[in-house]
Amino acid sequence: MKKRNLLLLAVAMSATAMAQNPIVQTYYTADPAPMVHDGTVYLYTSHDEDVTIKNFFTMNDWRCYSSKDMVNWTDHGAVLSYTDFEWSRGDAWAGQCVYRNGKYYFYVPVNQKNGGNAIGVAVSDSPTGPFKDALGKPLLASFGYIDPTVFIDDDGQAYLYWGNPNLWYVKLNEDMLSYDQEVGIVKDPLNKEGFHVRYRDADKRPSAYEEAPWLYKRNDQYYLFYAAGGVPEHLAYSTSSKPTGPWVYGDTIMHIIRDRGAFTNHPGVIDYEGKTYLFYHNGALPGGGGFKRSVCVDELTFNPDGSIPVIPPTKEGVQAVRNLNPFKRVEAETIAWSKGLKTAKDPQTGMYVSQIHNGDYLKVQAVDFNKGAKRFNVSASASTQGGSIEIRLDAPDGQLLGTCTIGQTDGWKTFSSKIQKVKGVHDVYLVFKGGSDELFQLDWWMLKK
Ligand code: FUB
């Protein structure tokens, strides 16, 4: 191979090794709604099905992921579906889950059986479900009632914003299942002072506001993030001294994503471990696009006056905020990056990694080997042919620490293999080898000293 080709190959390989966005590769995910609770980031997403029907959003359920380090995301699977609302016929679009008084409230837009838009609320005792329809009927229902977002202020008052093409809010009651009837449903005027002007105004809407509101507070200032445009959408923000406005237009925070974007975008903003993060979506996974989107995350910073500089969407994503301890069981579905894999759930094992074929791999980032490990243990199930796992450092073709052979099994079984001793913090790649069929499934792995 010529020197120039070798150089290009090296650049391509390091770009693959570095990629962190989109943060989920096993499914198409969209409409991120992050929630920080008890030191963990829970990321709720909508889910674009692999097969798009009638060239339109094909969305049936909402998925949940969690992370303590912002780079390795544990897949909790689909935690709520439109079928959990007996009165719904589909369109599981952008929702948000919030915690209050020991319960988790998941606000979601769906289509009613009679065809109209509606916002439902499901409740659970756990952030990862199961969630159940709390009311047995919509909380709110009318045309354009989509994209609910809930913000609980420091005084305990909760606000639910939503809507496209209008922007509405209600003040939720303490029960989170009803709203202040005296205040009622308030429609924002969406004037140009608050939401700027449209630069593609074929649809004659009053301002650049499109959809996907997200309310956030910093230093007594309220920020409303939203998708603006129209289509293709960019992300913008407005500010106010009150959670109910009047809003003052801020600026664009993310331009239209031209390189492998989607025609929509959708913001979700959190503070975690001293930094602020913007979750959004693009169309960057293989086969991706407007109806096959993928959630990404990048850091959001503030200027000294509280304004927000434009955030360029990156492939590299964000840095790990802490290292991962591999001497405790690591769920196989805790993944920083993967190729060719899916996840699945069964009642006995919970979530596991599935669809493993020769050449597929998964990466776990910032793994702290400490003073070194002697063995790699893994729980696998191989009713088909089995295969092997290469444990490699820092790249899919990086230093080989060991190879764990997975024989045929009748159910889940723990396999173990010796590995070379390395110290310090590394990215770990589990690279799967074997024949041409599906090899095995993985439940968890861990290192032994
Ligand atoms: O995911 C379906 C719709 O696309 C959402 O409700 C909007 O926010 C846009 O992302």
Side-chain angles (χ1 to χ4, degrees):
M1 195 183 285
K2 290 203 172 115
K3 208 169 161 189
R4 187 183 129 74
N5 288 350
L6 269 174
L7 185 68
L8 286 176
L9 184 66
V11 169
M13 281 179 65
S14 77
T16 311
M18 288 290 294
Q20 287 298 136
N21 275 331
I23 60 181
V24 176
Q25 307 82 37
T26 44
Y27 287 89
Y28 294 112
T29 56
D31 304 323
M35 172 183 82
V36 178
H37 182 66
D38 269 352
T40 299
V41 181
Y42 293 92
L43 172 64
Y44 299 88
T45 72
S46 59
H47 167 208
D48 288 332
E49 294 289 340
D50 288 358
V51 177
T52 302
I53 296 169
K54 291 190 182 159
N55 198 29
F56 192 61
F57 296 112
T58 308
M59 306 170 73
N60 298 323
D61 50 26
W62 296 268
R63 301 185 66 84
C64 179
Y65 300 83
S66 68
S67 179
K68 283 183 168 28
D69 55 28
M70 291 299 294
V71 294
N72 298 301
W73 291 92
T74 304
D75 189 337
H76 300 283
V79 294
L80 180 67
S81 162
Y82 80 86
T83 55
D84 293 318
F85 299 94
E86 187 272 318
W87 45 271
S88 165
R89 73 168 188 200
D91 290 341
W93 288 13
Q96 185 183 352
C97 181
V98 295
Y99 170 81
R100 177 153 214 177
N101 295 336
K103 298 234 181 265
Y104 302 83
Y105 297 89
F106 205 157
Y107 299 84
V108 292
V110 284
N111 259 347
Q112 297 180 77
K113 283 189 171 151
N114 68 14
N117 297 131
I119 292 170
V121 53
V123 68
S124 175
D125 295 327
S126 154
T128 55
F131 286 88
K132 286 207 166 68
D133 182 4
L135 296 171
K137 61 178 185 181
L139 172 63
L140 294 152
S142 191
F143 174 74
Y145 279 25
I146 65 165
D147 289 4
T149 183
V150 171
F151 168 81
I152 304 175
D153 208 349
D154 301 328
D155 62 2
Q157 177 62 57
Y159 300 86
L160 169 62
Y161 269 86
W162 75 93
N164 174 348
N166 292 300
L167 174 65
W168 295 274
Y169 77 82
V170 290
K171 289 171 88 169
L172 287 173
N173 292 329
E174 179 89 24
D175 65 5
M176 300 298 273
L177 303 175
S178 60
Y179 58 92
D180 186 328
Q181 294 290 333
E182 264 175 44
V183 175
I185 298 174
V186 184
K187 188 169 155 188
D188 191 279
L190 287 183
N191 54 28
K192 71 170 190 285
E193 292 73 26
F195 295 91
H196 203 45
V197 289
R198 251 172 144 70
Y199 54 87
R200 290 174 300 284
D201 69 347
D203 47 7
K204 303 281 180 246
R205 294 193 196 182
S207 76
Y209 173 84
E210 181 80 20
E211 57 185 358
W214 183 273
L215 193 51
Y216 166 88
K217 187 179 186 182
R218 178 178 182 263
N219 295 342
D220 289 332
Q221 170 136 274
Y222 297 86
Y223 291 76
L224 192 67
F225 297 97
Y226 48 91
V231 171
E233 294 171 344
H234 63 280
L235 300 181
Y237 76 99
S238 305
T239 59
S240 177
S241 58
K242 291 192 284 180
T244 51
W247 297 98
V248 176
Y249 178 69
D251 211 339
T252 293
I253 55 159
M254 181 171 279
H255 292 297
I256 295 166
I257 303 176
R258 301 274 179 202
D259 177 19
R260 299 185 301 161
F263 64 87
T264 60
N265 201 346
H266 194 112
V269 177
I270 51 159
D271 296 324
Y272 184 61
E273 300 282 334
K275 287 185 174 175
T276 305
Y277 296 95
L278 170 71
F279 291 77
Y280 58 97
H281 65 224
N282 66 14
L285 274 192
F291 301 125
K292 290 198 173 96
R293 299 160 292 174
S294 289
V295 168
C296 300
V297 64
D298 277 299
E299 210 181 316
L300 183 155
T301 58
F302 293 90
N303 294 317
D305 66 357
S307 60
I308 303 173
V310 168
I311 301 156
T314 72
K315 287 194 178 117
E316 295 75 22
V318 300
Q319 302 284 313
V321 300
R322 60 173 57 84
N323 297 329
L324 183 135
N325 177 2
F327 299 101
K328 289 201 315 207
R329 171 180 160 133
V330 182
E331 296 302 325
E333 64 276 11
T334 298
I335 298 172
W337 189 262
S338 65
K339 178 179 161 279
L341 307 176
K342 287 280 187 200
T343 57
K345 202 186 244 181
D346 76 29
Q348 181 209 342
T349 318
M351 293 298 294
Y352 60 90
V353 171
S354 61
Q355 297 291 321
I356 300 176
H357 293 87
N358 182 42
D360 293 345
Y361 66 83
L362 73 79
K363 168 191 176 186
V364 181
Q365 199 178 320
V367 176
D368 189 355
F369 282 77
N370 206 276
K371 292 181 185 144
K374 285 191 183 138
R375 299 198 73 83
F376 170 81
N377 289 358
V378 66
S379 171
S381 165
S383 56
T384 49
Q385 54 185 317
S388 63
I389 305 173
E390 294 178 353
I391 301 101
R392 292 186 176 269
L393 281 196
D394 300 321
D397 58 353
Q399 183 186 345
L400 180 64
L401 295 190
T403 301
C404 187
T405 302
I406 310 292
Q408 269 196 327
T409 69
D410 181 17
W412 292 98
K413 185 177 166 189
T414 303
F415 294 86
S416 185
S417 66
K418 267 193 182 167
I419 55 169
Q420 275 176 42
K421 216 169 174 185
V422 288
K423 293 183 181 170
V425 178
H426 295 272
D427 296 344
V428 167
Y429 284 77
L430 304 184
V431 184
F432 308 114
K433 297 283 160 144
S436 55
D437 292 336
E438 191 176 342
L439 305 178
F440 42 77
Q441 292 94 41
L442 288 188
D443 187 16
W444 55 263
W445 63 272
M446 70 189 293
L447 303 182
K448 286 279 178 196
K449 287 187 177 150

